[in-house]
Amino acid sequence: MSEKVKVIPLGGLGTIGKNITVIEYKNDIVVIDCGMGFPDEQMYGVDLIIPDITYLLENKDRVKGIFFTHGHEDHIGAVPYILKQMNMPLYGTRLTLGLIKSKLEQHGLEKSCQMHSVEPGDCIELEDIKVEFVRSTHSIAGACCIAVHTPEGIIFHTGDFKVDYTPVDAQTMDLERIGELGKEGILLLLADSTNVERSGHSPSEQTIGKTLMRLFDGVKGRVIVTTFASNIHRIQQIIHASSAHNRKVAFSGRSMERITEVARELGYLEIPDNTLINLEDMGKYTQDQLTIITTGSQGEPMAALARIAFGNHRMIRVEPDDLFIISASPIPGNDRLVSRVINELYKKGVEVIYKAIEDVHVSGHAYKEELKLMQSLTHPKFFMPAHGEYRHLKHHKDLAKQMGMKDDHIFIMQDGDVLELDREKAAVTGRVRAGNILVDGIGVGDVGNIVLRDRRHLAEEGMLIVVAAIDLETYSIMGGPDVITRGFVYAKNSEELIEAVRVAATKELEMCLAYQMVEWYMLKANIKKVVEQLLYEKTKRRPTILPIIMEV
Amino acid sequence: MSEKVKVIPLGGLGTIGKNITVIEYKNDIVVIDCGMGFPDEQMYGVDLIIPDITYLLENKDRVKGIFFTHGHEDHIGAVPYILKQMNMPLYGTRLTLGLIKSKLEQHGLEKSCQMHSVEPGDCIELEDIKVEFVRSTHSIAGACCIAVHTPEGIIFHTGDFKVDYTPVDAQTMDLERIGELGKEGILLLLADSTNVERSGHSPSEQTIGKTLMRLFDGVKGRVIVTTFASNIHRIQQIIHASSAHNRKVAFSGRSMERITEVARELGYLEIPDNTLINLEDMGKYTQDQLTIITTGSQGEPMAALARIAFGNHRMIRVEPDDLFIISASPIPGNDRLVSRVINELYKKGVEVIYKAIEDVHVSGHAYKEELKLMQSLTHPKFFMPAHGEYRHLKHHKDLAKQMGMKDDHIFIMQDGDVLELDREKAAVTGRVRAGNILVDGIGVGDVGNIVLRDRRHLAEEGMLIVVAAIDLETYSIMGGPDVITRGFVYAKNSEELIEAVRVAATKELEMCLAYQMVEWYMLKANIKKVVEQLLYEKTKRRPTILPIIMEV
């Protein structure tokens, strides 16, 4: 066994999401995070993406567990799917584990799992290495950096972070400890690259509290606020503003109810007595005594906010004096969905406050100056930009170089690349299997490129089926050809076109039969070709053409 | 015939794109602009959207022509499709008409059309009204506001505009004339709402020129710049920077070649002698003597920039010293496409400059302070916010109210609403037909909601076909049932599932035949139901299920 440290990102590089990093030394393999990814617009019908963990399965005996930096979906979302393939201990702060537990319950897996709750500052001793949790700040409570102590030096993974000097829970990032670790000797830094393109320093989460206070002043109707359900500190501030304005608070949306319940139970969210009410009890209060906190900040059509806006929420109708606050930014790709909800609310005549209008959201990821601070405190020997698309990794590399790091000490890696390092040097020495497993419904991995290609083609052009029954003894057509379309043209407006297809297919089929040309593949190919040409000529479209010939 | 003025937006309200507004008085109907719209992500396979002009067809005799504010696609793109339904004169500045002409040529329509070139300041006299073109500034040359003079007062349509005090061609907006018209009496103002959410004043197009000059300094390789092909002034500035740095310029991308050719012929674009070269001649120059201006600023996969980035451009390979400049902002919805191109270029090791890094783009639409200036100069009696989603129209209304306009003098309208007005009052008095006609291939209007619903369903879940041949005399199965899938699951990994479907379908079909239950509709419905249940149970998916039963 090599005496070198290996660091292998199995996910999270070159794309946002699906974060999972493997760190190994001798007999120990530790996994940092186990997140899900999000399908892009070309992955029709795919619900979510999980990482390929073949490498872990092949090295099962050495895997000591998953160590979580925080509880966001892109860091914990794949856990149920991965534990089904391979059970292992889970380490994280109470909120992180609480959120994982509630996920595992949905999959009926909570009984078999081994959860180890840690406090920031805790250090887990394994066979050859130690894993230390260091308190961090991010847009979710209970976030940590993870320091893996090896005989060759420390591997320091920031997780997702921002440097918030005035966090809502007053639990500041443990910068002193990070400095101390830097002094001790950090061999490799892996750091969050998400906001490397933004200059300056991210505003503190507390700034939102002040804006909310001001916005709540003098509102006659209900205040309906949407944010990420996991942003406990944001929710805490909405609750502060509500109770300061004598408003009760109700939650709407499954993940909002679930996560706030976990956070309350674990003491991360404080709700003053007699403040929380059920949606069902809203009728007992006047509108100016109510705040509703909902899911749907990304405009998701099935989430609470969109349902309210479009008038199909079970309990909540838009009322004229309502004030809506969208306390989140659209993730790239969701702009149109969010815009649709804003437009609909304005059409209903209510006020809507969102990022373009007021400062009702701050990012949870470090800007340039914070990233420089992290470089300074850790002054690592080697550096691997993490958590970002290639452009972010590249700019993070540039930033480190500006601060004096040597080009060949910085590694922009791809998922599956193996970085081997000791106290002297580091190099990418190989690759292991890594990739996307697509989850659709309860099927894991049964949707792949071919299925997606077909869906794409069906989506863009629709399909046309030619079906016929033939008798191979008499070489005659026994039924059909019939023509059926889906997603191609209005059948009733296109009778002429469909009839032309039927005639052409019949002619071709008769000719093939007349020549006794009944090799199955050729028969289908010929019909397909004739129909394809006809349709392209008449419509300039290329639907999927499916000739079905049955022998009877 | 009413003596009132009618203003009817047939497109462009509540959405960005498809701009077309009808203004009529007595015997005259004038149409302002005739743009195309862009399909949203749910309109699978749709190429473009054009407005429904039923209203114009019904009032053919009075329609005097289309008057164009400027040559962007969302203002001229539907012209070929509309002229096929109804020929009419076209009025616009030379560049606008030049761009329309080149579109009409592609449709073989250029011979039958009647084009009337105007200069800013020109006034077209019709039977009862006059149409005046007023010089404006926007992100395309030759932009105008349009003032329709009626006996009841002036209807002033800003078109798309910004107030650029230092435009590249020194042709400033004719603010004096707008002020004069305001003094004369503007009955109704229709104004661009796109950027009403942005505070302050938009930067002048000239600021980009300075940034480009600086970026070009000391570049060792080629400079490859992408921008909107129609942004002639941007292209002019890229050419300035190139010739100041002794670089030849080549164009890449069909629309870039087409539009710059039109602009040069008409004198809108000045290229110094011996500067323009063909792509084919690039080899004759060293890399630091070359600038390439390409299409693809929105990351469109088939456009020149993406082709270059992904290595499948006919002529251009990425070279290590290339500097890429993306001189445009992604339109909402295109962020991911643009990001993909940036990532790919960085992976190839070249420098890429874009909006997040440097000020290489300015908007062509007025910010808040410019919109206030427009309100001040025109001080209209009535106001209709135009060109925007509902949220923009709403904020534009708020802005006008802040400046003292009465709430009931401002009309947020929907496409098809009829605003009737005279010098005293204005009111929405009815609706005419308006809407989206979808264009797919050469089919106009043959893709509608049902087809789109089918495509959506196929896209998300794929399909499964059960096909069988039966003999109705003997009530027996003659062929099949066979099972065919597309976009559902990997057939080869799912043999068991497919076999289970086959068995279930066979059983159901046999049972129906045994009971001589051969009512066609019922037979199919029964098989569909059985298969649907089985698939949902086993996969939690609901593909489109198509039972095809043939009689032989």
Side-chain angles (χ1 to χ4, degrees):
Chain A
M1 196 147 300
S2 149
E3 306 277 312
K4 291 199 169 177
V5 182
K6 282 188 192 169
V7 179
I8 312 170
L10 288 181
L13 296 189
T15 171
I16 300 282
K18 206 187 56 162
N19 294 285
I20 175 168
T21 308
V22 171
I23 298 176
E24 59 179 282
Y25 179 73
K26 285 179 140 180
N27 260 321
D28 292 328
I29 291 183
V30 304
V31 181
I32 297 185
D33 292 333
C34 185
M36 68 185 211
F38 309 96
D40 70 27
E41 63 277 22
Q42 295 286 295
M43 296 183 184
Y44 293 127
V46 173
D47 297 322
L48 58 100
I49 298 167
I50 59 170
D52 186 331
I53 58 153
T54 304
Y55 180 74
L56 295 178
L57 293 169
E58 287 169 358
N59 293 279
K60 225 169 185 166
D61 297 343
R62 292 194 291 143
V63 177
K64 296 299 190 292
I66 312 179
F67 297 75
F68 294 95
T69 59
H70 65 288
H72 278 151
E73 289 294 346
D74 56 333
H75 293 257
I76 68 167
V79 174
Y81 302 93
I82 299 308
L83 288 195
K84 279 178 201 164
Q85 299 171 59
M86 174 179 172
N87 201 358
M88 54 190 142
L90 310 177
Y91 298 85
T93 56
R94 286 172 303 124
L95 182 62
T96 308
L97 292 186
L99 295 174
I100 292 172
K101 193 170 158 228
S102 119
K103 281 186 116 37
L104 292 174
E105 279 165 6
Q106 292 168 21
H107 287 255
L109 291 171
E110 73 281 13
K111 295 219 172 97
S112 56
C113 73
Q114 315 149 44
M115 293 208 176
H116 302 281
S117 170
V118 301
E119 291 294 322
D122 283 359
C123 198
I124 317 298
E125 305 229 6
L126 305 174
E127 282 185 57
D128 300 299
I129 62 181
K130 290 188 298 187
V131 182
E132 177 183 351
F133 286 80
V134 180
R135 199 170 56 227
S136 176
T137 42
H138 185 41
S139 47
I140 187 169
C144 286
C145 305
I146 289 180
V148 179
H149 297 260
T150 80
E152 299 297 317
I154 298 162
I155 313 295
F156 191 80
H157 195 312
T158 66
D160 295 5
F161 80 103
K162 69 187 286 184
V163 181
D164 192 339
Y165 295 110
T166 55
V168 172
D169 61 1
Q171 302 289 306
T172 50
M173 192 164 186
D174 196 349
L175 297 174
E176 309 95 298
R177 179 60 185 153
I178 297 173
E180 196 176 36
L181 290 169
K183 212 73 193 160
E184 225 174 273
I186 290 181
L187 182 62
L188 176 73
L189 169 70
L190 296 93
D192 182 358
S193 310
T194 315
N195 272 342
V196 66
E197 290 178 2
R198 298 202 191 173
S199 311
H201 197 291
S202 69
S204 168
E205 176 64 32
Q206 276 215 2
T207 60
I208 305 300
K210 299 202 182 81
T211 310
L212 288 173
M213 277 293 191
R214 180 168 51 75
L215 292 174
F216 271 64
D217 279 349
V219 177
K220 289 195 202 119
R222 300 174 300 187
V223 180
I224 301 176
V225 195
T226 182
T227 189
F228 296 104
S230 61
N231 198 334
I232 303 301
H233 291 156
R234 185 72 47 85
I235 293 168
Q236 184 71 70
Q237 298 194 97
I238 300 167
I239 290 168
H240 280 328
S242 299
S243 62
H245 288 81
N246 297 312
R247 288 173 182 268
K248 306 290 176 190
V249 173
F251 293 114
S252 173
R254 226 176 331 163
S255 65
M256 189 60 78
E257 291 165 25
R258 187 171 62 80
I259 294 180
T260 52
E261 197 186 321
V262 172
R264 276 187 74 204
E265 275 170 16
L266 298 174
Y268 286 94
L269 185 65
E270 282 173 33
I271 307 185
D273 292 344
N274 299 318
T275 298
L276 190 62
I277 62 165
N278 286 321
L279 273 187
E280 286 75 11
D281 296 327
M282 284 190 305
K284 296 180 185 160
Y285 304 91
T286 58
Q287 298 209 346
D288 63 351
Q289 294 172 332
L290 288 171
T291 296
I292 306 171
I293 306 178
T294 81
T295 52
S297 68
Q298 296 300 306
E300 307 92 320
M302 301 307 286
L305 182 67
R307 282 179 186 275
I308 296 170
F310 287 92
N312 50 21
H313 190 282
R314 194 171 48 91
M315 309 273 307
I316 307 167
R317 296 273 156 278
V318 175
E319 304 285 346
D321 290 328
D322 287 346
L323 171 69
F324 285 80
I325 301 174
I326 300 178
S327 185
S329 285
I331 293 166
N334 291 344
D335 311 60
R336 291 193 200 182
L337 287 176
V338 175
S339 219
R340 216 168 282 168
V341 170
I342 295 172
N343 288 327
E344 191 60 29
L345 289 171
Y346 276 143
K347 281 182 201 166
K348 298 229 154 89
V350 294
E351 273 308 311
V352 190
I353 307 283
Y354 46 98
K355 193 80 201 294
I357 311 280
E358 290 271 5
D359 292 330
V360 285
H361 180 67
V362 293
S363 172
H365 297 274
Y367 290 13
K368 257 188 191 135
E369 296 306 314
E370 295 154 83
L371 296 174
K372 288 182 193 164
L373 172 61
M374 183 57 74
Q375 292 281 342
S376 281
L377 281 173
T378 55
H379 56 84
K381 191 170 176 79
F382 301 106
F383 173 45
M384 185 194 301
H387 206 280
E389 296 176 27
Y390 194 92
R391 61 194 259 192
H392 305 116
L393 307 181
K394 191 263 181 194
H395 287 129
H396 209 171
K397 175 175 178 172
D398 290 348
L399 179 143
K401 279 165 69 180
Q402 279 163 27
M403 293 186 69
M405 266 198 108
K406 286 191 218 143
D407 189 85
D408 61 359
H409 280 212
I410 306 171
F411 298 88
I412 294 189
M413 308 219 340
Q414 287 178 22
D415 294 342
D417 280 348
V418 178
L419 183 71
E420 264 192 47
L421 58 178
D422 58 28
R423 65 190 64 211
E424 299 302 332
K425 55 187 187 305
V428 176
T429 57
R431 281 189 61 75
V432 304
R433 184 160 160 174
N436 290 331
I437 309 281
L438 308 183
V439 180
D440 179 0
I442 55 175
V444 176
D446 65 346
V447 170
N449 289 333
I450 298 171
V451 173
L452 286 182
R453 190 203 57 200
D454 285 348
R455 286 185 184 176
R456 201 144 50 222
H457 195 184
L458 290 169
E460 277 157 22
E461 306 276 1
M463 76 181 313
L464 183 144
I465 301 167
V466 179
V467 57
I470 58 175
D471 181 341
L472 284 188
E473 285 173 25
T474 61
Y475 294 108
S476 54
I477 301 177
M478 303 299 289
D482 291 341
V483 176
I484 299 155
T485 74
R486 281 290 183 282
F488 172 49
V489 289
Y490 276 138
K492 65 169 178 160
N493 294 349
S494 311
E495 279 166 20
E496 217 174 299
L497 180 67
I498 301 298
E499 179 58 19
V501 170
R502 220 186 54 73
V503 168
T506 309
K507 227 170 96 187
E508 183 65 26
L509 189 57
E510 278 169 351
M511 208 194 64
C512 290
L513 291 174
Y515 286 95
Q516 306 194 355
M517 191 172 90
V518 291
E519 217 261 280
W520 227 231
Y521 174 77
M522 285 302 294
L523 201 58
K524 286 187 182 181
N526 280 348
I527 291 175
K528 193 171 170 180
K529 200 173 152 198
V530 166
V531 174
E532 224 163 43
Q533 280 172 349
L534 178 77
L535 290 180
Y536 188 70
E537 199 179 291
K538 300 224 174 208
T539 68
K540 290 281 176 288
R541 292 181 216 167
R542 302 186 184 281
T544 299
I545 293 166
L546 215 57
I548 303 177
I549 316 290
M550 304 191 71
E551 194 192 334
V552 293
Chain B
M1 199 147 298
S2 148
E3 307 277 310
K4 291 198 170 180
V5 182
K6 283 188 192 168
V7 179
I8 312 170
L10 288 181
L13 295 189
T15 171
I16 300 282
K18 206 188 55 164
N19 294 285
I20 175 169
T21 307
V22 171
I23 298 175
E24 60 178 282
Y25 179 74
K26 284 179 141 180
N27 260 322
D28 291 330
I29 290 182
V30 304
V31 182
I32 298 185
D33 292 333
C34 185
M36 69 186 210
F38 308 96
D40 70 26
E41 63 277 23
Q42 294 286 295
M43 295 183 185
Y44 293 127
V46 173
D47 297 321
L48 58 99
I49 298 167
I50 58 169
D52 185 332
I53 58 152
T54 304
Y55 180 75
L56 296 177
L57 293 169
E58 287 169 358
N59 293 278
K60 226 170 185 166
D61 297 344
R62 292 193 290 142
V63 177
K64 296 299 190 293
I66 313 180
F67 298 75
F68 294 95
T69 58
H70 64 287
H72 278 150
E73 289 294 347
D74 56 333
H75 293 257
I76 68 168
V79 173
Y81 302 92
I82 299 308
L83 288 195
K84 279 178 202 165
Q85 299 170 59
M86 175 177 172
N87 200 0
M88 53 189 145
L90 310 177
Y91 297 86
T93 56
R94 286 172 302 124
L95 181 61
T96 307
L97 292 187
L99 294 174
I100 292 172
K101 192 171 160 227
S102 122
K103 282 186 120 27
L104 292 175
E105 279 164 7
Q106 292 168 23
H107 288 255
L109 291 172
E110 74 281 14
K111 294 215 173 103
S112 55
C113 72
Q114 315 149 44
M115 292 206 176
H116 303 280
S117 171
V118 302
E119 291 294 323
D122 282 0
C123 199
I124 316 298
E125 303 229 6
L126 305 174
E127 282 185 57
D128 300 299
I129 61 181
K130 291 187 297 184
V131 181
E132 176 183 352
F133 287 79
V134 179
R135 198 169 57 226
S136 177
T137 43
H138 184 42
S139 47
I140 187 169
C144 286
C145 305
I146 289 181
V148 178
H149 297 260
T150 79
E152 299 297 318
I154 298 162
I155 313 296
F156 190 81
H157 195 313
T158 64
D160 295 6
F161 80 104
K162 69 186 288 183
V163 181
D164 193 339
Y165 295 110
T166 55
V168 171
D169 61 1
Q171 302 288 305
T172 50
M173 192 164 186
D174 196 348
L175 297 174
E176 308 95 298
R177 179 60 185 152
I178 297 173
E180 197 175 33
L181 290 167
K183 211 71 193 161
E184 225 176 273
I186 290 182
L187 182 62
L188 175 74
L189 168 70
L190 295 93
D192 181 357
S193 310
T194 315
N195 272 341
V196 66
E197 290 178 2
R198 298 202 192 173
S199 311
H201 197 293
S202 69
S204 168
E205 176 64 32
Q206 276 215 3
T207 59
I208 305 299
K210 299 202 181 81
T211 310
L212 288 173
M213 276 294 191
R214 179 167 51 76
L215 292 174
F216 271 63
D217 278 349
V219 177
K220 289 193 201 121
R222 301 175 299 188
V223 180
I224 301 177
V225 195
T226 183
T227 189
F228 296 103
S230 60
N231 198 334
I232 303 302
H233 291 156
R234 185 72 47 85
I235 293 167
Q236 184 71 70
Q237 297 194 95
I238 300 166
I239 290 168
H240 280 328
S242 299
S243 62
H245 288 82
N246 297 312
R247 287 175 182 267
K248 307 289 178 192
V249 173
F251 293 113
S252 173
R254 225 177 330 162
S255 64
M256 188 61 79
E257 291 164 25
R258 188 172 60 82
I259 294 180
T260 52
E261 197 186 321
V262 172
R264 276 185 76 204
E265 275 172 15
L266 298 174
Y268 285 94
L269 185 65
E270 282 173 35
I271 306 184
D273 291 345
N274 299 318
T275 298
L276 190 62
I277 63 164
N278 286 322
L279 273 187
E280 285 75 10
D281 296 327
M282 284 189 306
K284 297 180 186 161
Y285 304 92
T286 58
Q287 298 210 345
D288 63 351
Q289 294 172 331
L290 288 170
T291 296
I292 306 171
I293 306 178
T294 81
T295 52
S297 68
Q298 295 300 306
E300 307 92 319
M302 301 308 286
L305 181 67
R307 282 179 187 274
I308 296 170
F310 288 91
N312 49 21
H313 190 282
R314 194 173 48 92
M315 308 276 305
I316 308 167
R317 296 273 155 277
V318 175
E319 304 285 346
D321 290 328
D322 286 346
L323 171 68
F324 284 81
I325 301 175
I326 300 177
S327 185
S329 286
I331 292 166
N334 290 344
D335 311 61
R336 292 194 199 182
L337 287 176
V338 175
S339 219
R340 217 168 282 168
V341 171
I342 294 172
N343 287 326
E344 192 61 28
L345 289 171
Y346 275 142
K347 281 181 199 165
K348 299 228 154 87
V350 294
E351 273 308 312
V352 190
I353 308 283
Y354 45 99
K355 192 79 201 294
I357 312 280
E358 290 270 5
D359 292 331
V360 284
H361 181 65
V362 293
S363 173
H365 297 273
Y367 290 13
K368 259 191 188 132
E369 296 306 314
E370 293 154 86
L371 296 175
K372 288 183 194 165
L373 172 61
M374 184 57 74
Q375 292 282 342
S376 282
L377 281 174
T378 55
H379 57 85
K381 191 170 176 79
F382 302 106
F383 173 44
M384 186 194 301
H387 207 279
E389 296 177 26
Y390 194 91
R391 60 194 258 192
H392 305 116
L393 307 182
K394 191 262 183 199
H395 286 129
H396 209 170
K397 175 176 178 171
D398 290 347
L399 179 142
K401 278 165 68 179
Q402 277 162 29
M403 292 186 70
M405 264 198 110
K406 285 192 218 141
D407 189 87
D408 61 359
H409 280 212
I410 306 171
F411 297 89
I412 294 189
M413 308 219 341
Q414 287 178 24
D415 293 344
D417 282 347
V418 178
L419 183 70
E420 263 192 48
L421 57 179
D422 58 27
R423 66 190 65 210
E424 299 303 332
K425 54 188 187 306
V428 176
T429 55
R431 281 188 62 74
V432 304
R433 186 161 158 174
N436 290 331
I437 309 281
L438 309 183
V439 181
D440 179 0
I442 53 174
V444 175
D446 65 347
V447 170
N449 289 334
I450 299 171
V451 173
L452 286 181
R453 191 203 55 201
D454 285 347
R455 286 185 184 175
R456 200 143 53 220
H457 195 187
L458 290 169
E460 277 157 22
E461 307 275 2
M463 75 182 314
L464 183 143
I465 302 167
V466 179
V467 57
I470 58 175
D471 180 341
L472 284 189
E473 283 173 26
T474 60
Y475 293 109
S476 54
I477 301 176
M478 302 300 290
D482 291 340
V483 176
I484 299 155
T485 73
R486 280 292 183 282
F488 173 49
V489 289
Y490 275 138
K492 65 170 176 157
N493 294 349
S494 312
E495 279 166 20
E496 217 174 297
L497 180 67
I498 301 297
E499 180 57 20
V501 170
R502 221 187 53 73
V503 169
T506 309
K507 226 170 95 187
E508 183 64 25
L509 188 57
E510 279 169 350
M511 208 192 66
C512 290
L513 292 173
Y515 285 95
Q516 306 195 354
M517 191 171 88
V518 290
E519 216 265 279
W520 227 230
Y521 174 78
M522 286 301 295
L523 202 57
K524 286 187 181 181
N526 280 349
I527 290 175
K528 191 170 171 182
K529 199 173 152 198
V530 166
V531 174
E532 224 163 42
Q533 280 173 350
L534 177 78
L535 290 180
Y536 188 71
E537 198 179 291
K538 300 223 175 208
T539 67
K540 289 281 176 289
R541 290 181 218 166
R542 300 184 183 283
T544 300
I545 293 166
L546 215 56
I548 304 178
I549 315 291
M550 304 190 73
E551 194 193 333
V552 293

